[in-house]
Amino acid sequence: MRIVIALGGNALLRRGEPMEAATQRANVKVAAEQIAKVARDDDVELAIVHGNGPQVGLLALQAAAYPDVTPYPLDVLGAQTQALIGYMIEQELGNIVAPERAIVTLVTMVQVDADDPAFDHPTKPIGPVYSEAEARRLAAEGGWAIAPDGDKYRRVVASPDPQRIIELRSIRRLIEDGAIVTCGGGGGIPTTYDEATGTLTGIEAVIDKDLCASLLARELDADMLVIATDVAGVFRDWGTPDAHCIEEETISRLRSMTLAAGSMGPKVEAACRFVEATGKPAVIGSLEDIEAIVAGTAGTRVVAD
């Protein structure tokens, strides 16, 4: 069974927590303990895609604090977070399942369209949360776009649609050789391709990791896409006393729901794209329930119409 797990960046660095290495490592350890429940099975081939919104935002803040050097662009910061988070996943998961399984982190580029309309409408939250007043002040100073995130505000950046995973052949070979592969971190390093010159160029953006994971799962012929987050699944009537988790729903009904563009919306669309293309299951649910999700007893299961 070949599974792609999309691991939310906010599951690795939770809302309101100090943005420190020790905090992230502690959260990665918890995530690794859950993933290991699936990874210990020799019959399971596994690829892990992780988010990087809090981490890439932190690096951007750190870069801006040193005015003597031009701040590094988001594609470079994305590459840094792939190594940072991948290293922690590789080590913590390896401490549990090694030496039985090889674990590899692969820095991954993902092709996007430079003319994607997403560049005109930033939606992807990055960095820490702020009060509205503080967010508006920082936006005015830094030229940011900001948007609500729960009862707080965050910086938002362009999130173009992933089109092609550049290192796909290498990922496939590693998985077929039995390795657990962490790849497409942060949705992949956003890269454009010039057909005339045959060259790749990084571009300022942060790709949604769930959409990247969906593309990866389709391209790898995965048997299941698991989108692991910090809630039990997709909720109907979210934010009201009648809120309840949906156990199973069709593509069309899920797409008709009004969902947050920067959070649950891309998760649902990613799951729908995978099911639509393959007819195989996609499940959105809590990282803590990952073993039950794979077994089909937890999360929101997305099915074809």
Side-chain angles (χ1 to χ4, degrees):
M1 187 177 188
R2 182 172 293 176
I3 303 172
V4 173
I5 296 176
L7 184 62
N10 289 328
L12 304 177
L13 192 55
R14 298 182 178 93
R15 178 188 297 272
E17 289 184 329
M19 300 180 74
E20 298 174 355
T23 304
Q24 295 185 65
R25 180 173 288 282
N27 288 337
V28 168
K29 184 176 182 179
V30 172
E33 289 170 349
Q34 299 302 318
I35 294 171
K37 296 176 182 179
V38 178
R40 285 195 181 98
D41 188 341
D42 291 336
D43 293 327
V44 171
E45 296 178 336
L46 189 60
I48 302 169
V49 176
H50 61 78
N52 72 343
Q55 293 83 2
V56 77
L58 174 61
L59 290 179
L61 288 172
Q62 291 175 334
Y66 185 55
D68 293 341
V69 174
T70 302
Y72 283 16
L74 287 173
D75 59 304
V76 175
L77 299 183
Q80 292 179 351
T81 63
Q82 285 190 2
L84 184 158
I85 300 170
Y87 154 65
M88 291 186 178
I89 292 174
E90 189 173 326
Q91 190 170 78
E92 295 299 336
L93 188 57
N95 286 339
I96 302 172
V97 302
E100 290 83 4
R101 299 288 296 270
I103 305 172
V104 176
T105 299
L106 187 67
V107 175
T108 313
M109 294 181 287
V110 173
Q111 183 180 334
V112 301
D113 184 350
D115 296 321
D116 191 309
F119 286 104
D120 297 323
H121 303 283
T123 60
K124 182 64 178 174
I126 67 170
V129 296
Y130 303 101
S131 67
E132 181 176 0
E134 187 177 13
R136 294 196 181 281
R137 177 183 63 80
L138 291 169
E141 293 174 357
W144 295 358
I146 58 172
D149 186 353
D151 60 348
K152 301 291 185 179
Y153 276 73
R154 290 174 76 184
R155 179 186 177 188
V156 290
V157 299
S159 183
D161 211 46
Q163 296 184 330
R164 181 169 70 100
I165 297 168
I166 305 300
E167 288 80 12
L168 179 64
R169 286 187 298 175
S170 298
I171 296 168
R172 184 185 293 276
R173 288 175 182 173
L174 287 165
I175 288 176
E176 289 176 348
D177 197 43
I180 298 170
V181 183
T182 298
C183 56
I189 303 166
T191 309
T192 59
Y193 177 68
D194 187 328
E195 292 187 5
T197 62
T199 56
L200 295 166
T201 305
I203 193 166
E204 280 265 291
V206 174
I207 301 169
D208 184 83
K209 68 98 179 38
D210 297 308
L211 295 180
C212 176
S214 178
L215 175 61
L216 177 66
R218 300 194 305 269
E219 294 295 323
L220 286 177
D221 303 313
D223 298 295
M224 177 180 284
L225 171 64
V226 176
I227 299 178
T229 182
D230 54 359
V231 294
V234 182
F235 279 73
R236 199 179 302 281
D237 300 322
W238 177 258
T240 74
D242 297 325
H244 62 279
C245 184
I246 302 169
E247 292 184 6
E248 182 175 289
E249 192 54 276
T250 64
I251 292 171
S252 61
R253 288 177 65 87
L254 281 171
R255 280 179 168 158
S256 70
M257 294 174 64
T258 301
L259 299 165
S263 55
M264 190 55 74
K267 291 175 174 54
V268 166
E269 180 58 26
C272 289
R273 290 185 189 185
F274 177 73
V275 175
E276 201 168 42
T278 68
K280 298 173 182 177
V283 188
I284 302 169
S286 172
L287 173 65
E288 297 175 355
D289 298 331
I290 196 161
E291 192 173 21
I293 287 172
V294 173
T297 60
T300 298
R301 190 178 185 90
V302 182
V303 297
D305 293 324

